[in-house]
Amino acid sequence: MSNASLWSALADPHRRAIVALLLQRPRPVGEIVEACGLSQPSTSKHLKVLREAGLVRVRQDAQRRVYALDPAPIAALDAWLAPYRTLWNDSLDALGRRLDETSDATSDDAASDHTSDDTEGPPRRADPP
């Protein structure tokens, strides 16, 4: 299955909600309909798209169809995203270092301002004996 068809299948928010439900555990269609608040025909159409993309598999259990998440395509997407995640993490690390430097400089400025405040100002009056 191509990454494009996986992305296309996951582009719809209802299908992402179904995938999130199936991440918890396999579910019969009726539970998916109820949890997503969609009609049964609409839910079936979304499940068909997910099934054709290879993201879910279905098994017959008596009169019910039970859908389960297939982790293999998700793992393929994760592998495809890995270099981008590294790039993103490097950028976040650089931002974190910059914020730490800014925070340290601000703390140093505040400490020097506070020290100068203690030494300036009117002299204190002595308490009466």
Side-chain angles (χ1 to χ4, degrees), residues 1 3 6 8 17 42-43 49 77 91 95-96 100 107 112 125:
M1 196 55 49
N3 283 339
L6 293 174
S8 178
S42 179
T43 301
V49 171
L77 281 178
S91 296
L95 175 62
D100 287 344
S107 296
S112 66
R125 291 180 29 199

Side-chain angles (χ1 to χ4, degrees), residues 64-88:
R64 302 181 319 164
R65 289 181 179 211
V66 179
Y67 284 83
L69 194 61
D70 187 343
I74 303 292
L77 281 178
D78 184 57
W80 185 83
L81 285 169
Y84 299 97
R85 191 177 302 110
T86 301
L87 176 67
W88 184 249

Side-chain angles (χ1 to χ4, degrees), residues 34-82:
E34 187 177 317
C36 291
L38 300 170
S39 69
Q40 196 280 328
S42 179
T43 301
S44 292
K45 287 178 185 178
H46 287 301
L47 287 166
K48 180 181 178 187
V49 171
L50 291 171
R51 192 176 63 248
E52 288 175 350
L55 288 163
V56 299
R57 56 183 177 257
V58 62
R59 69 176 167 81
Q60 196 74 31
D61 181 23
Q63 297 298 325
R64 302 181 319 164
R65 289 181 179 211
V66 179
Y67 284 83
L69 194 61
D70 187 343
I74 303 292
L77 281 178
D78 184 57
W80 185 83
L81 285 169

Side-chain angles (χ1 to χ4, degrees), residues 16-27 56 67-71 74:
R16 287 193 307 272
I18 291 170
V19 168
L21 282 171
L22 296 177
L23 180 61
Q24 298 167 359
R25 63 179 170 80
R27 296 175 187 263
V56 299
Y67 284 83
L69 194 61
D70 187 343
I74 303 292

